Structure formats: structure tokens, C-alpha cells
Amino acid sequence: MPIHVLAEDVVSQIAAGEVIERPASVVKELVENAIDAGASEIHVETRGGGVAFVRVTDDGCGIPIAEAEVAFRRHSTSKLTTADDLSHITTLGFRGEALASIAAVSRMTLATRAAGEPVGALLRMEAGRLLTRQETGRPPGTAVTMEDLFFNVPARRKFLRTERTERRHIDAFTTRYAMAYPNVRFTLSHGGRVVFQSPGNSRLRDVVIAVYGLEAGAAVLDVIPDAPVHGPSIQVTGLVSPPSFHRANRSFITLFVNGRWVQDSRLTYAVIQAYHTLLPQGRYPLAVAMVAIAPEEVDVNVHPTKAEVRFRDSDAVFRAVQRAVRHTLLERAPVPAVRRPLTWGSLTTQRRDAHRERLLSLQPRTAAGQLRFDKEAGPPTAEPGAPPPTGSEGRLPPLRVIGQVGATYIIAEGPEGLYLIDQHAAHERVLFEQLCSQQQQADVASQALLEPQPVDLSPESAGVLGAHLEALARLGFLVEPFGGATLLVRAVPAIALTADAAAVLEDVAAALLTGDMPMASAVEEMIARQVCKQAAVKAGQVMASDEMDALVRALERCTSPRTCPHGRPTMIHLSAAQLALEFGR
Ligand code: ADP
Ligand code: MG
């Protein structure tokens, strides 16, 4: 075939393919246009999974009648003029491709009226061609209707998934944008049934309740905006779950950069990193984080769908997200509360519901440190949404040890009620923080053994430990090869003097063999966790009251006293309010 220039309709179908992949892309582009138009109300209606029908209606600024036709041309936009403008984009759209692309691969109707004009325009297009154009009366704003997606591109149509899958994509997209724009009231319906509605009252927490339910909405913590650090000014706001609330995968982490939803695995990791050692293995937080950064610091023109962005200083953005979330958790994460009433069985359903509601209403307040039973603090006065009182909510209040239960748990009392502390988990946390701080100062107290101890291991374990002798040494373990699969232990970390060195080394080897741990720091931390696990007081060990006292005092000094280094809770808190409720006071 000789070289020839492609016909215009072929070109536009190719171009459309980049932007419009599936029904959810149509929803995305139309919703973004509605947001750019300043809408305060956006309706998304679909039928047949969005393949048969999508309509997005908004009450935004509308398109002037004289410009309605131009809006459908490729590369026509009101949001950008010069290439220079590209470096400080503040709108979601700017490429001028969406309407043209959607029109090229469907039958499309645009009904719009600009706020200041007496009549509006009604345009009907099919496969990119204008069929009819007339004037129309309608309220200010815009409604774009798309029908029969890919009716003229059979190859594309074949790749569409089931109606359910396409709907799921539309749901995910619409709910995300509802979270990014809590001031906009979103309504989503499929086949005439409303499946989602956001209140549009500017409160993110209320949108999170609409998206993820009451429990999540009650649990999440307001991100504390961090003081600006060096480099570009980056502000992180939003809501993140406390360590006691977690999910099986990372799809509950949603990130926005300057109001644009982004898929950025590095930033997602920054959020996960902030929960380091606070969550059980393989569990992930729920987070809705908005990153605000000067537009010239971020390039949004990386991909036609703009779900990827590039930062001028991506390390700075990573740090800002990680720090803001971490700081929030340390300051505001509440002790995991007993969720189920102890006398559950005896409660009537009605009381149980009342109880649940009460718990739900209590949780966010205790979470933000606004409801306290501290006598000195007086009655709760802080307004919802007010900054938390000074004093670290992540840390523990002073506790008084009452006794030990089952040689496993310590009972303690504090200004906020009763605490049941897992002695092993608590001791692990205390030792872990001590060891980590010594390690950070390269000053781990190491104790030489009077007689070096040979430890026999499997060849595999000996091999993997042999590759990490330096990491072991930095944590106080002086270990050297001793022929075959035997290692000779010359010194151990002072805190692990009573621990079984062989058991620690075996656990470390097992963890190294199963996990993939590329980073040296991760290896060292894992070693530290294993050391502390072996060195900590065990369940079933009777403790003297001064030992319990010392442990609780040490726990009070910890930065993250509420979870053990493996992410399990160290304690259960029964607040004074809950106790009163349980006893029907
Ligand atoms: P872009 O959003 O990149 O500018 P589009 O093809 O999505 O490109 O839209 C083209 C233009 O049509 C926009 O720049 C805007 O002026 C106008 N427009 C599209 N949708 C709307 C809407 N819902 N309300 C007001 N104007 C709109
Ligand atoms: Mg657009």
C-alpha cells in the first residue's frame, strides 16, 4: 500500500481511542467538564452499563450559543491559549479533545444555555457529524447525552466488559470525584435507580459516609495539615483511617493532586508507609488525600486521560504525604475501642442499634480528642472540626496499674476509663522503640557472651543470614560463620540477653526467606522486630506489680504505644462512657 494521509474520520477515531476507552471514560470527561464549568450539582445517568446511554447534566456556566458547534471540534478549548499556559493549568480539562472524541464514536446530544443568554443550543451529532442544530429553552447549564458507544467502531465494542464491570468503573470514578469536590452535589443512577448521592455540603466526611458507609466515616481522622517544609509548598489534607480500621487491599487509598484524581503508585506507597508497623501485615488503610501544590510544580500533560502526573520534585511530594499522614496518626489515632458490647446477647435489637449509633457518634470525637472525661479538662467544649487540644492523643495518658488477668493482660485505669493491656505486645513495642532509637544513633547496646555460642541452622537459613551479617551487627548481634551451616554468636543485643539467640536467628532467617526485602533499612527493622518478639515477656508469665508498673511507664513514653511492632493492638480501651452504657446508667 502506498503511503497516504489518513482520512479525517479515521484520524479522529484513532484520537478518540486514546481518550475514550470505555463508558467510564465518557463519564470522566463529562464530569470534569461540569466541574470546570463551576457546577454545584451534577447528575450522572447511565443505562446498559453506560454503553447504551450516559447523560451528565450540570448547572454550570453553560456554552454560549455561538460557541456550541466549535466545542465539538478537535483541539478546541476555552481553557488554554498559549503553550505557556500549559505550565500552570488550574482546570481539569485543557486538551480540547473530549467532546470531539465522544462525538466521534457515538451518537451525542448537547443541550446547553450560557447563564447570560436568553436561549440555548441543541446539537445532535452522529459519528462525529453534525445532524441537527436548533435553539432551545432550558435552565442555564449543560446536559450532554451519549448513546450507543462505539456503534461505529465494532472492534472497540468487542472489548467492552460486562455491564456490571463497566458500572463498577463508573461508580468508582463518580464516587472519587464526589470526594474530591465535597461542595458539589453528585447524583448517580443506573437504569433509573439512584445508587449514589453526595450531600454537596462541603464536608468530606459526609461524602466518605456516602461512599464507604457510616463506620468508615465515623472512624477516619482529619489529616493535620503539616507546617511547610523546605522546597515547594505542598499542602496535604483529607481523611485517613486510624490503625484500628483497615482493608484487604490498597483500592481504598484515593489521591488527588490539585483536584485531579491520580493513580500514582509512589504516592499510594507514601500513605502506606505512614502506617508502618501500625497495621497488621497485608492490610491497608482507607485514605482520601488531597495534595495541593503550585500548578507549575506538576505536569499534568503526560497522558491523554491525565490520570498520571509528573512532579518537578516528586521526593518532596512523597515526603509531604508520608509526614502529614504519619503525624496525624501519631497525634490522633485512638486506642482501639471495644466494638461489641460485652452484654450483647441481653440487649434488645432496638437497644443494640441505639448503642451502635452511640458508639459511632463517639468514635470520631474521641478520635479527634474532643470528648474527654478528664476532670481537669472539664466538660467537653471543643467544636467538631476544631483543632485537637494540645497534648498528644497518640500517646497514652498516665495509667494506674490495677492488676493482672490470666498472667497475660494488665488491667489499668486512666482518666478515660479502663485499659486492658496485652503484656507481651506492650513489651514488644517498648523494646522495639528502644532498639530502633539506639540503632538510629548507631549505638545499640551489645553484650558479649562469656562463651561464644554456636548455633546450628539449615543450610538455607545459614546462607541467608550469612548475607546479612552487617545488618545483624548494627543491631548488636556479632555473628560469624563457623563452618557448614553453623554460625557462632559472639554478642547479642543487651535487651535480648535472656532471649534464645538461636530462636531469634531462626526467626530472622525464616522472615528473610519468605519476604522480599530489598531495602537494608527494612531488613534491619525486621531483625529488630524478631529480637523484640523473643526478648519480650511472654503471655502466661506472672508479673510483679512493680514490673507491671515499669512496663506501663515505658509504654507511656512510646511514640506509638497502641500497636505492637507487628501492627496488632497492645491494648483495648473501655471508655467511661462505654462502661456507663454497658451498665445501663
Ligand atoms: P477541554 O475540557 O479540554 O477544554 P472538551 O472537549 O472537554 O475540552 O470541551 C471543549 C470546551 O467545551 C471546553 O473548553 C468548554 O469551553 C466547553 N464545555 C464542555 N463541556 C462543558 C460544560 N459542561 N459546561 C460548560 N462548558 C463546557
Ligand atoms: Mg474536557
Side-chain angles (χ1 to χ4, degrees), residues 29-30 32-33 36 79 92-99 306:
E29 294 298 336
L30 297 181
E32 290 192 347
N33 280 347
D36 282 345
K79 303 167 191 175
L92 294 170
F94 58 85
R95 297 171 62 108
E97 285 180 329
L99 290 185
K306 309 182 213 95

Side-chain angles (χ1 to χ4, degrees), residues 203-464:
R203 283 209 294 270
L204 175 59
R205 191 180 293 275
D206 289 347
V207 190
V208 167
I209 290 172
V211 177
Y212 295 119
L214 254 182
E215 202 192 343
V220 284
L221 313 169
D222 280 290
V223 171
I224 303 170
D226 221 2
V229 278
H230 324 288
S233 150
I234 302 162
Q235 224 208 4
V236 183
T237 54
L239 293 169
V240 295
S241 57
S244 56
F245 185 104
H246 36 73
R247 290 290 174 256
N249 59 55
R250 45 190 91 193
S251 68
F252 294 83
I253 301 173
T254 307
L255 294 157
F256 302 95
V257 173
N258 291 347
R260 183 187 305 281
W261 173 57
V262 296
Q263 280 173 300
D264 185 316
S265 53
R266 214 161 160 253
L267 281 192
T268 304
Y269 184 63
V271 174
I272 295 170
Q273 243 272 307
Y275 285 81
H276 197 47
T277 78
L278 299 177
L279 291 184
Q281 298 258 320
R283 302 292 294 180
Y284 299 90
L286 183 155
V288 184
M290 330 309 199
V291 177
I293 183 168
E296 51 274 15
E297 291 290 328
V298 41
D299 182 3
V300 291
N301 193 20
V302 180
H303 189 266
T305 64
K306 309 182 213 95
E308 256 175 69
V309 296
R310 224 175 270 141
F311 298 104
R312 186 131 70 158
D313 186 350
S314 69
D315 285 348
V317 182
F318 182 97
R319 277 197 308 273
V321 170
Q322 198 271 353
R323 278 194 201 162
V325 178
R326 184 77 182 175
H327 180 64
T328 304
L329 295 175
L330 296 182
E331 286 290 317
R332 294 193 170 167
V335 176
V338 174
R339 292 271 172 81
R340 215 152 20 94
L342 302 176
T343 50
W344 193 262
S346 66
L347 290 174
T348 64
T349 317
Q350 203 185 0
R351 277 204 55 209
R352 190 160 62 205
D353 289 348
H355 177 94
R356 236 182 97 73
E357 266 186 45
R358 178 88 187 267
L359 274 189
L360 287 172
S361 67
L362 281 177
Q363 276 175 1
R365 302 223 245 157
T366 30
Q370 287 153 2
L371 192 77
R372 303 179 54 132
F373 292 87
D374 197 330
K375 290 218 174 53
E376 283 99 327
T381 49
E383 295 295 318
T390 44
S392 227
E393 287 302 307
R395 303 217 176 215
L396 290 181
L399 301 180
R400 184 174 72 89
V401 172
I402 297 171
Q404 194 186 20
V405 197
T408 301
Y409 306 106
I410 299 169
I411 308 183
E413 179 201 33
E416 288 161 39
L418 182 77
Y419 295 77
L420 208 52
I421 300 169
D422 179 321
Q423 63 194 37
H424 172 68
H427 197 204
E428 267 187 293
R429 165 55 68 185
V430 167
L431 294 176
F432 182 69
E433 292 201 3
Q434 283 174 1
L435 192 55
C436 287
S437 88
Q438 290 176 5
Q439 179 232 15
Q440 268 157 27
Q441 293 155 26
D443 184 25
V444 172
S446 180
Q447 176 77 53
L449 300 178
L450 285 179
E451 224 173 288
Q453 182 193 343
V455 175
D456 296 323
L457 298 153
S458 72
E460 234 189 340
S461 299
V464 72

Side-chain angles (χ1 to χ4, degrees), residues 495-547:
I495 63 158
L497 200 52
T498 56
D500 178 354
V504 177
L505 291 178
E506 266 160 26
D507 283 357
V508 170
L512 283 171
L513 287 170
T514 51
D516 51 336
M517 250 169 271
M519 286 174 352
S521 61
V523 171
E524 286 181 32
E525 213 179 281
M526 185 276 291
I527 296 172
R529 274 201 299 269
Q530 299 301 341
V531 169
C532 297
K533 186 172 125 199
Q534 288 294 335
V537 57
K538 301 282 180 301
Q541 187 169 321
V542 176
M543 292 179 78
S545 71
D546 56 343
E547 287 174 322

Side-chain angles (χ1 to χ4, degrees), residues 35-325:
I35 292 170
D36 282 345
S40 57
E41 187 134 0
I42 300 177
H43 284 257
V44 180
E45 300 161 76
T46 82
R47 283 207 288 271
V51 181
F53 177 98
V54 171
R55 175 180 290 154
V56 175
T57 311
D58 69 58
D59 61 353
C61 64
I63 305 176
I65 198 160
E67 294 170 24
E69 222 169 295
V70 185
F72 282 95
R73 290 224 207 108
R74 242 181 329 129
H75 313 301
S76 63
T77 178
S78 58
K79 303 167 191 175
L80 185 79
T81 316
T82 66
D84 248 14
D85 296 344
L86 269 176
S87 62
H88 40 85
I89 295 285
T90 55
T91 50
L92 294 170
F94 58 85
R95 297 171 62 108
E97 285 180 329
L99 290 185
S101 298
I102 299 169
V105 295
S106 72
R107 300 179 226 275
M108 186 165 167
T109 308
L110 167 77
T112 185
R113 175 153 82 85
E117 299 192 349
V119 285
L122 181 69
L123 272 69
R124 299 170 61 77
M125 316 270 301
E126 195 176 284
R129 268 180 288 275
L130 181 66
L131 295 184
T132 61
R133 180 186 196 286
Q134 63 194 83
E135 291 190 346
T136 181
R138 54 160 288 125
T142 304
V144 178
T145 310
M146 190 257 11
E147 284 165 285
D148 299 328
L149 182 63
F150 299 141
F151 82 95
N152 56 337
V153 201
R156 262 294 156 107
R157 219 180 153 102
K158 275 202 298 245
F159 281 97
L160 291 175
R161 299 306 185 80
T162 62
E163 193 174 319
R164 249 187 55 221
T165 308
E166 297 302 338
R167 249 164 70 167
R168 209 162 36 76
H169 283 280
I170 294 171
D171 292 353
F173 174 79
T174 309
T175 51
R176 278 189 193 112
Y177 266 75
M179 292 192 283
Y181 295 88
N183 55 324
V184 178
R185 202 170 118 97
F186 282 82
T187 308
L188 170 65
S189 67
H190 297 301
R193 242 190 77 234
V194 173
V195 296
F196 170 77
Q197 189 153 46
S198 69
N201 62 3
S202 298
R203 283 209 294 270
L204 175 59
R205 191 180 293 275
D206 289 347
V207 190
V208 167
I209 290 172
V211 177
Y212 295 119
L214 254 182
E215 202 192 343
V220 284
L221 313 169
D222 280 290
V223 171
I224 303 170
D226 221 2
V229 278
H230 324 288
S233 150
I234 302 162
Q235 224 208 4
V236 183
T237 54
L239 293 169
V240 295
S241 57
S244 56
F245 185 104
H246 36 73
R247 290 290 174 256
N249 59 55
R250 45 190 91 193
S251 68
F252 294 83
I253 301 173
T254 307
L255 294 157
F256 302 95
V257 173
N258 291 347
R260 183 187 305 281
W261 173 57
V262 296
Q263 280 173 300
D264 185 316
S265 53
R266 214 161 160 253
L267 281 192
T268 304
Y269 184 63
V271 174
I272 295 170
Q273 243 272 307
Y275 285 81
H276 197 47
T277 78
L278 299 177
L279 291 184
Q281 298 258 320
R283 302 292 294 180
Y284 299 90
L286 183 155
V288 184
M290 330 309 199
V291 177
I293 183 168
E296 51 274 15
E297 291 290 328
V298 41
D299 182 3
V300 291
N301 193 20
V302 180
H303 189 266
T305 64
K306 309 182 213 95
E308 256 175 69
V309 296
R310 224 175 270 141
F311 298 104
R312 186 131 70 158
D313 186 350
S314 69
D315 285 348
V317 182
F318 182 97
R319 277 197 308 273
V321 170
Q322 198 271 353
R323 278 194 201 162
V325 178

